[in-house]
Amino acid sequence: MSSERLIYLPLGGAGEIGMNAYVYGYGKPGKERLILVDLGVTFPDMDSSPGVDLIFPDIQWLQDRRERLDGIFITHAHEDHVGAVAHYYERLGAPIHARAFTANIARRKMEEHGHPEKAVRTAGAWPETVTAGPFTVGFVPISHSIPESSGLAIDTPAGRVVHSGDFKIDTDPGVGEPFDEALWREVAAPGITAMICDSTNVFNTHEGRSESSLAPAIEGLVSAAKGMVVATTFASNVARVKTLAEAGQRAGRSVCLMGRAMRRMIEAAVQTGVLKEFPKTVNPENAKEIPRESLMLIVTGSQGERRAASAQLAQGKFQGITMKEGDSFLFSSKTIPGNERGVIKIINQFSELGVDVIDDSSERYHVSGHANRPDLIRLHNLMKPGVVVPMHGEHRHLREHVKLANDNGLRGALAVNGTMLDLGAEKPGVVEYVETGRTYLDGSVQVGALDGIVRDRIRMALNGHVTVNVILDEEDDPLGEPWCEIKGLAETGRSRAPLVEVLEEDLSQFMGRAGAKILADDDKLEEGLRRVARQSALNEIGKKPETTIIISRMSG
Amino acid sequence: MSSERLIYLPLGGAGEIGMNAYVYGYGKPGKERLILVDLGVTFPDMDSSPGVDLIFPDIQWLQDRRERLDGIFITHAHEDHVGAVAHYYERLGAPIHARAFTANIARRKMEEHGHPEKAVRTAGAWPETVTAGPFTVGFVPISHSIPESSGLAIDTPAGRVVHSGDFKIDTDPGVGEPFDEALWREVAAPGITAMICDSTNVFNTHEGRSESSLAPAIEGLVSAAKGMVVATTFASNVARVKTLAEAGQRAGRSVCLMGRAMRRMIEAAVQTGVLKEFPKTVNPENAKEIPRESLMLIVTGSQGERRAASAQLAQGKFQGITMKEGDSFLFSSKTIPGNERGVIKIINQFSELGVDVIDDSSERYHVSGHANRPDLIRLHNLMKPGVVVPMHGEHRHLREHVKLANDNGLRGALAVNGTMLDLGAEKPGVVEYVETGRTYLDGSVQVGALDGIVRDRIRMALNGHVTVNVILDEEDDPLGEPWCEIKGLAETGRSRAPLVEVLEEDLSQFMGRAGAKILADDDKLEEGLRRVARQSALNEIGKKPETTIIISRMSG
């Protein structure tokens, strides 16, 4: 036995859906050469991360070993796979490999951040490969919901590992490469040590449906519509955008793409040759002049995002275009769990305008980009790996996927973020636990999720805030009375007097009672003022607010 | 024609699902005698109402006319129908009428608030009636997901109005009265002026399913389980709780009810004779001693509520009971839109414990309490009202329900909260718009939704908070330097110096530049300090924080 080992370590994406970042390593323990597969983001929400702009995986472990990092491989251009490449470029520094379309998107991000675009290298599809340290990596085309998605065939001295990437089995995806069973059989031929595999739809027992199956329903809908037709979908689903645009064209409508992400994605697809034919479009300026019954808009904002085109149209107007009674709005998308409130709000706003909304409940106008259970089994059988390691899923998905592999006669290993597996071992198991977590982009600054910053914001949102101000002279005697300001708290409570006055009265009494020892000690005085302010508010309005205590001491 | 009119005015529940409150009136315009049907609450969320405890309809309009209010009628004991009776008792003062089970729940609320329980009067079922001013109101049993739900037959000099209440058509509901077509035919016989009708499931095109259809699947699941079985459902769904308990009993398990709401509801059902047979239960103290394979818990928290039994069990322990590998957890409930994040969190926590979770995706273990589209049509046809006025729905539901009525040859009228209709008119239309809204219970205080309190909290959650403190002497000269404290903001930014120091430096420069005019004017000085603090933070960390500016002026 050699003393080298083949390790797998998810830093993000295993135990959650989002911010994918998977490390592979080969070498002597603690000296492995490393590669990183994907470097994505996840999106904040009001419940757990108010005010945050983006969420990244904490890559400190990898940064501490950056001299051993031989390359970053991006499977496809979804934000949860490519979104952090530019933000982390300086901290990791390794070359970034991706196929043409994905590289195009990655370079746009690099450029926006003032990083060198040439750090992103375009890779050809399998059988071409990229060598990075002891790894030889091939981008094997696999169908998903964005062009040029790839699984990775990662050859190592300990055998071949397959990283499925996000995938579905679709033999007619409209745009891009169909799933090619023969190709994957060829990849599997030498034997697969381990397969790290997408788990998103493991609970869905239905047969997967092809992207192309949607066209008739979409065409039927658009051709039957009377007023303006507006459709939204994920901007990156180029095949869907094309299907929608073609449906518009066939119905004799001018097609207009609205929203920055939508235009960017189509532009990238055209630039990289992924999209060869696309109906002629008009720009929003010209679209305004076209009679509504001859117009079709394809817009961003399928998840109810506040600033996107869909939300703006629902509120009345976007780029000079308004919707009204008799128009139709199609969600050619599903609502990602957690986004329901935003989407439902838009639907109700359209309802108030008299717009007919066709949502995703019929499943006729959207298919998922991920493999359902039967297709997972199909890939398991095709690859017959030594071990299946589920990724791209919450804990429930990973656990179910291990069970699925076991039921199918394969070994499975559950590894959440921070779990390092030895993939090459006879019985692949955990060799180490690594500290992982989340980093927030907050304004222009990166902060740790556990730094307490967001926790303080949540507390202010739940409890409101009181500022208490006291001034003492050089003998530690109070100069005047304590003074309060409130924010996010009821102005009057139980006693019907202004809350601020009640607080000031109670704080004033406390100052009167406090002895010289307390008045002379900033910490003790602050603690006392905080306790009194919170208790006084609790009595008066039933809430214990967050506090900022300002103690000023005047010197002669 | 008489100059009297019959009005309908929703103050809550029309244009939303929650906080139902519907006013009916009869008399000369502006002098109508009034009744109120239902007085419910809705629940806050972090996105729009952080820190709020409960949400009520704004009843100011009704309070201003309380001397004309002859009674409050509660259709059933769900919180969105009965939840505000105690909170608003003093502001409305009218007698509250409900059937025995609903009255039992309402009295518990009155008692908790120290209000007289006798204000709640128990009404018999139709053909018994209650007279309130010009109205004669009958509680007509109708099937729903809680015992003794009733539609109301409201007789007025302008004819009979039917208020459906929340309903489904279930001829075998397990506990309580089956839907009785003959009874409703009898109600319809004299002719129905208007029907105000539940709209919740108008988009669901499937046949409704009976509560009793679930028993075999639930029994199969429980009898096949190996470890402990825990099931959650809505505590108020007494029939479901009974079905679950019976499944446990048949599988030879001891049954334990956990969570206050669960025990309260069963207690109320037993006290009022609604529940005649219920399996013997053990208390949590004894349950701990029972082998897990012989135990079944029925618990609160199906919506992922943080403090309920389900969430506590998922976090490790509740009342001495822990779950572990091999146990099963059943959601015999659906996730209400907006609650997905909380529910998914619990499912993942159970997954980490090795507990098998059976969620609502298969639809085998839960049925809705509301009428689907075919059953709505059935009630329309049974009642053949002069006009259908949809209620209990968001705008999209109300609009669709009007269309459904129209397609079925009936007149429909869309009236959201604040829209007063004249139901007796030849063509029922809008006669007035009334200002409505929401009132928050925040701690122990009621505040208006538009008072700005919650808005300030949301802003602090999104932007963080800075306190700026300056002290000036009696000549308006600054005493020392400005002083800052931050909350919910990154401690360092672009320049790598502490944010507080950067802010203080910029504020200090501002004070130095500010002329005597600004220094002497609190408003101008505050405005300047605020502007500088926000701009300085924006430069440094990319965020514009909320601010509290404290200016202290020392006098001799």
Side-chain angles (χ1 to χ4, degrees):
Chain A
M1 283 286 288
S2 108
S3 66
E4 271 85 12
R5 63 182 189 180
L6 171 62
I7 58 167
Y8 162 74
L9 169 64
L11 296 177
E16 66 196 331
I17 293 180
M19 58 174 223
N20 296 277
Y22 306 93
V23 175
Y24 293 88
Y26 183 81
K28 293 202 197 306
K31 298 191 180 340
E32 297 91 351
R33 300 301 303 182
L34 307 170
I35 59 172
L36 176 64
V37 174
D38 290 337
L39 189 49
V41 298
T42 197
F43 296 98
D45 60 59
M46 189 70 186
D47 290 284
S48 61
S49 45
V52 168
D53 293 280
L54 272 179
I55 302 174
F56 308 128
D58 180 348
I59 51 143
Q60 194 60 48
W61 185 91
L62 191 59
Q63 188 183 350
D64 292 343
R65 291 154 182 81
R66 58 180 285 176
E67 77 290 349
R68 293 201 257 133
L69 179 63
D70 291 316
I72 299 171
F73 295 81
I74 308 296
T75 59
H76 65 284
H78 278 147
E79 286 298 310
D80 57 332
H81 296 260
V82 74
V85 286
H87 295 93
Y88 276 159
Y89 172 69
E90 287 171 333
R91 290 178 60 186
L92 294 177
I96 298 157
H97 304 277
R99 294 179 66 198
F101 177 81
T102 310
N104 183 298
I105 299 292
R107 285 194 193 100
R108 288 165 187 252
K109 293 179 185 297
M110 296 292 275
E111 192 206 343
E112 274 173 18
H113 284 75
H115 299 320
E117 290 179 42
K118 66 174 170 30
V120 181
R121 303 183 190 172
T122 302
W126 175 271
E128 285 184 39
T129 57
V130 176
T131 300
F135 299 98
T136 305
V137 182
F139 286 83
V140 189
I142 200 162
S143 40
H144 183 42
S145 48
I146 188 170
E148 291 192 346
S149 289
S150 302
L152 303 180
I154 307 174
D155 282 329
T156 80
R160 178 171 287 178
V161 172
V162 164
H163 184 99
S164 77
D166 291 10
F167 81 101
K168 67 188 286 191
I169 293 184
D170 191 342
T171 54
D172 188 9
V175 171
E177 301 122 333
F179 182 80
D180 182 347
E181 184 166 328
L183 183 70
W184 280 97
R185 206 178 290 282
E186 179 192 314
V187 168
I192 302 297
T193 301
M195 176 162 73
I196 284 67
C197 189
D198 181 1
S199 311
T200 316
N201 280 1
V202 67
F203 287 107
N204 191 326
T205 56
H206 298 109
E207 287 290 323
R209 292 182 300 147
S210 169
E211 181 67 34
S212 59
S213 70
L214 300 176
I218 290 175
E219 284 185 21
L221 185 82
V222 177
S223 68
K226 299 278 178 267
M228 183 160 61
V229 178
V230 182
T232 185
T233 188
F234 302 97
S236 56
N237 193 332
V238 174
R240 185 74 51 79
V241 176
K242 188 175 178 223
T243 301
L244 291 166
E246 286 174 348
Q249 188 181 43
R250 276 185 208 156
R253 290 171 182 266
S254 298
V255 174
C256 175
L257 303 179
M258 292 183 101
R260 191 163 152 265
M262 192 63 76
R263 289 196 304 274
R264 243 169 104 110
M265 278 289 169
I266 297 302
E267 198 180 277
V270 170
Q271 282 175 359
T272 53
V274 161
L275 197 55
K276 288 179 184 76
E277 288 174 346
F278 193 83
K280 197 165 155 289
T281 60
V282 297
N283 64 36
E285 203 51 46
N286 294 334
K288 274 191 296 190
E289 311 303 324
I290 294 169
R292 53 202 322 107
E293 64 277 10
S294 303
L295 185 60
M296 171 150 178
L297 313 180
I298 305 173
V299 306
T300 52
S302 68
Q303 299 306 305
E305 302 92 328
R306 276 184 205 188
R307 288 173 208 156
S310 297
Q312 305 266 338
L313 284 167
Q315 268 165 52
K317 203 170 194 174
F318 185 64
Q319 297 185 345
I321 292 181
T322 54
M323 294 192 72
K324 62 180 198 186
E325 176 126 31
D327 293 341
S328 305
F329 190 96
L330 169 64
F331 282 90
S332 181
S333 56
K334 70 161 265 195
T335 304
I336 295 170
N339 296 339
E340 289 80 2
R341 279 182 210 142
V343 170
I344 288 174
K345 185 176 171 191
I346 287 179
I347 294 176
N348 281 311
Q349 288 170 325
F350 280 133
S351 180
E352 286 174 32
L353 295 173
V355 172
D356 291 318
V357 174
I358 303 94
D359 69 11
D360 61 336
S361 55
S362 72
E363 300 192 349
R364 296 180 63 203
Y365 309 106
H366 179 68
V367 293
S368 171
H370 296 275
N372 291 351
R373 205 173 173 95
D375 290 348
L376 289 173
I377 295 173
R378 200 169 144 198
L379 194 68
H380 289 184
N381 289 340
L382 211 51
M383 295 291 112
K384 293 214 183 311
V387 59
V388 173
V389 184
M391 62 157 178
H392 205 280
E394 299 164 8
H395 195 283
R396 61 190 174 121
H397 299 106
L398 306 185
R399 180 165 179 261
E400 183 71 14
H401 198 167
V402 166
K403 279 193 200 175
L404 182 69
N406 293 160
D407 290 350
N408 197 26
L410 295 170
R411 196 189 295 278
L414 198 160
V416 295
N417 293 341
T419 311
M420 188 191 291
L421 298 183
D422 181 351
L423 294 178
E426 191 117 356
K427 198 180 160 184
V430 178
V431 291
E432 199 181 327
Y433 289 102
V434 163
E435 205 175 304
T436 57
R438 299 177 155 209
T439 299
Y440 294 152
L441 177 69
D442 191 51
S444 53
V445 183
Q446 287 183 26
V447 301
L450 302 179
D451 287 1
I453 294 164
V454 168
R455 179 203 59 201
D456 282 353
R457 282 192 214 147
I458 292 173
R459 287 182 180 167
M460 287 191 287
L462 295 176
N463 307 323
H465 183 259
V466 174
T467 303
V468 176
N469 185 39
V470 298
I471 305 179
L472 301 101
D473 67 16
E474 42 197 348
E475 257 90 64
D476 301 328
D477 285 329
L479 281 169
E481 303 292 330
W483 185 9
C484 290
E485 299 238 358
I486 58 172
K487 238 187 175 59
L489 292 170
E491 293 192 358
T492 54
R494 205 167 50 88
S495 73
R496 316 237 161 190
L499 172 62
V500 164
E501 286 179 17
V502 174
L503 292 172
E504 288 173 352
E505 173 62 25
D506 286 348
L507 289 162
S508 191
Q509 287 187 18
F510 166 78
M511 292 293 281
R513 284 193 312 268
K517 243 191 193 160
I518 288 174
L519 292 177
D521 182 330
D522 275 3
D523 289 344
K524 286 204 179 118
L525 183 55
E526 179 171 338
E527 195 207 312
L529 290 167
R530 172 167 293 122
R531 190 172 37 76
V532 170
R534 300 188 80 201
Q535 187 60 44
S536 177
L538 185 64
N539 294 342
E540 190 64 15
I541 60 165
K543 289 188 88 82
K544 271 190 157 175
E546 300 308 298
T547 54
T548 296
I549 312 289
I550 309 267
I551 299 168
S552 307
R553 291 183 186 275
M554 308 306 297
S555 50
Chain B
M1 285 287 287
S2 108
S3 65
E4 272 84 11
R5 64 182 188 180
L6 172 62
I7 60 168
Y8 162 75
L9 168 65
L11 296 177
E16 68 196 330
I17 294 181
M19 58 173 224
N20 295 278
Y22 307 93
V23 175
Y24 292 88
Y26 183 80
K28 293 199 197 306
K31 300 196 177 347
E32 297 90 351
R33 300 301 303 183
L34 307 170
I35 58 171
L36 176 64
V37 174
D38 290 336
L39 188 49
V41 299
T42 197
F43 296 99
D45 60 60
M46 189 69 185
D47 289 283
S48 61
S49 44
V52 168
D53 294 279
L54 272 179
I55 302 174
F56 309 128
D58 179 350
I59 50 140
Q60 194 60 48
W61 185 92
L62 192 58
Q63 188 183 349
D64 292 344
R65 291 156 182 80
R66 60 180 283 179
E67 78 289 349
R68 292 202 257 134
L69 178 63
D70 291 316
I72 299 171
F73 294 81
I74 308 295
T75 59
H76 64 286
H78 278 148
E79 285 298 310
D80 58 332
H81 295 260
V82 72
V85 287
H87 296 93
Y88 276 160
Y89 172 68
E90 286 172 335
R91 290 178 60 185
L92 295 177
I96 298 157
H97 303 277
R99 293 180 66 198
F101 177 80
T102 310
N104 183 297
I105 298 293
R107 282 193 196 103
R108 288 164 188 253
K109 292 178 185 297
M110 295 292 275
E111 191 205 345
E112 274 174 18
H113 285 74
H115 298 321
E117 291 180 42
K118 67 176 172 25
V120 181
R121 304 184 189 171
T122 302
W126 175 272
E128 285 184 39
T129 57
V130 176
T131 300
F135 299 97
T136 304
V137 181
F139 287 83
V140 188
I142 199 163
S143 40
H144 183 40
S145 49
I146 188 170
E148 292 193 347
S149 289
S150 303
L152 303 180
I154 307 173
D155 282 327
T156 79
R160 176 172 289 178
V161 171
V162 165
H163 184 98
S164 76
D166 291 8
F167 81 102
K168 67 187 288 191
I169 293 183
D170 190 341
T171 54
D172 188 9
V175 172
E177 302 122 333
F179 182 80
D180 182 347
E181 183 166 328
L183 183 71
W184 281 97
R185 205 178 289 283
E186 178 193 315
V187 169
I192 302 297
T193 300
M195 176 163 71
I196 284 66
C197 189
D198 182 0
S199 310
T200 315
N201 280 2
V202 67
F203 287 106
N204 191 325
T205 56
H206 299 109
E207 288 289 324
R209 291 184 299 148
S210 170
E211 181 65 35
S212 58
S213 70
L214 299 176
I218 290 176
E219 284 184 20
L221 185 82
V222 177
S223 68
K226 300 277 179 269
M228 183 161 60
V229 178
V230 182
T232 184
T233 188
F234 302 96
S236 57
N237 193 331
V238 173
R240 184 74 49 80
V241 175
K242 187 174 179 224
T243 301
L244 291 166
E246 286 173 348
Q249 187 182 41
R250 276 184 209 157
R253 290 169 180 268
S254 297
V255 174
C256 174
L257 303 179
M258 292 181 102
R260 191 162 152 266
M262 192 64 76
R263 288 196 305 275
R264 243 169 103 112
M265 278 290 170
I266 298 303
E267 195 180 279
V270 170
Q271 281 175 359
T272 54
V274 161
L275 197 55
K276 287 175 185 77
E277 287 173 352
F278 193 81
K280 198 166 156 287
T281 60
V282 296
N283 65 36
E285 203 51 47
N286 294 334
K288 274 191 295 188
E289 311 303 324
I290 295 170
R292 53 204 320 106
E293 65 276 10
S294 303
L295 185 60
M296 172 152 179
L297 312 180
I298 306 173
V299 306
T300 52
S302 69
Q303 299 307 304
E305 302 92 328
R306 275 183 205 187
R307 288 175 210 156
S310 297
Q312 305 268 340
L313 284 168
Q315 269 166 52
K317 203 171 193 174
F318 185 65
Q319 297 185 346
I321 293 182
T322 54
M323 294 192 72
K324 63 179 196 185
E325 177 125 29
D327 293 341
S328 306
F329 190 96
L330 168 65
F331 282 91
S332 182
S333 55
K334 72 162 264 196
T335 305
I336 295 170
N339 295 340
E340 288 80 2
R341 278 181 213 143
V343 170
I344 288 173
K345 186 176 169 191
I346 286 180
I347 294 175
N348 280 311
Q349 288 170 325
F350 280 132
S351 180
E352 287 174 33
L353 295 175
V355 172
D356 291 316
V357 174
I358 302 96
D359 69 10
D360 62 334
S361 56
S362 72
E363 301 191 347
R364 296 178 63 204
Y365 309 105
H366 179 67
V367 293
S368 171
H370 296 274
N372 291 352
R373 206 174 172 94
D375 290 347
L376 289 173
I377 294 174
R378 198 169 146 201
L379 194 69
H380 289 183
N381 288 339
L382 210 51
M383 295 291 110
K384 294 215 182 311
V387 59
V388 173
V389 184
M391 62 156 178
H392 205 279
E394 299 165 8
H395 195 283
R396 60 191 173 120
H397 299 106
L398 306 185
R399 181 166 178 259
E400 184 71 15
H401 199 166
V402 166
K403 280 193 199 174
L404 181 70
N406 292 160
D407 290 350
N408 197 27
L410 294 171
R411 196 189 294 279
L414 198 161
V416 295
N417 293 342
T419 312
M420 188 190 291
L421 298 182
D422 181 351
L423 294 178
E426 190 117 356
K427 199 179 158 184
V430 179
V431 291
E432 200 180 326
Y433 289 103
V434 164
E435 206 176 300
T436 57
R438 298 178 154 209
T439 299
Y440 293 153
L441 178 68
D442 190 51
S444 54
V445 182
Q446 287 184 26
V447 301
L450 302 178
D451 286 1
I453 294 163
V454 167
R455 180 203 60 204
D456 282 352
R457 279 191 216 151
I458 291 172
R459 286 182 180 168
M460 287 191 286
L462 295 175
N463 308 322
H465 182 261
V466 174
T467 304
V468 176
N469 185 38
V470 298
I471 306 178
L472 301 102
D473 67 15
E474 44 198 346
E475 257 89 62
D476 300 329
D477 285 328
L479 280 170
E481 302 292 331
W483 185 11
C484 289
E485 300 237 0
I486 58 172
K487 235 186 177 64
L489 292 170
E491 293 194 356
T492 55
R494 206 166 49 87
S495 73
R496 315 233 163 195
L499 173 61
V500 165
E501 286 178 17
V502 175
L503 292 172
E504 287 173 353
E505 173 62 27
D506 286 349
L507 289 162
S508 191
Q509 285 187 17
F510 166 78
M511 292 293 281
R513 285 194 312 269
K517 241 190 192 159
I518 288 174
L519 292 177
D521 182 329
D522 276 2
D523 290 343
K524 284 201 179 118
L525 183 55
E526 179 172 338
E527 195 206 312
L529 291 167
R530 172 167 293 124
R531 191 172 36 75
V532 170
R534 299 189 80 202
Q535 187 60 44
S536 176
L538 185 64
N539 295 342
E540 191 63 14
I541 59 165
K543 291 189 86 84
K544 273 190 157 174
E546 302 306 298
T547 55
T548 296
I549 312 290
I550 310 268
I551 299 168
S552 307
R553 292 182 186 276
M554 308 305 296
S555 51

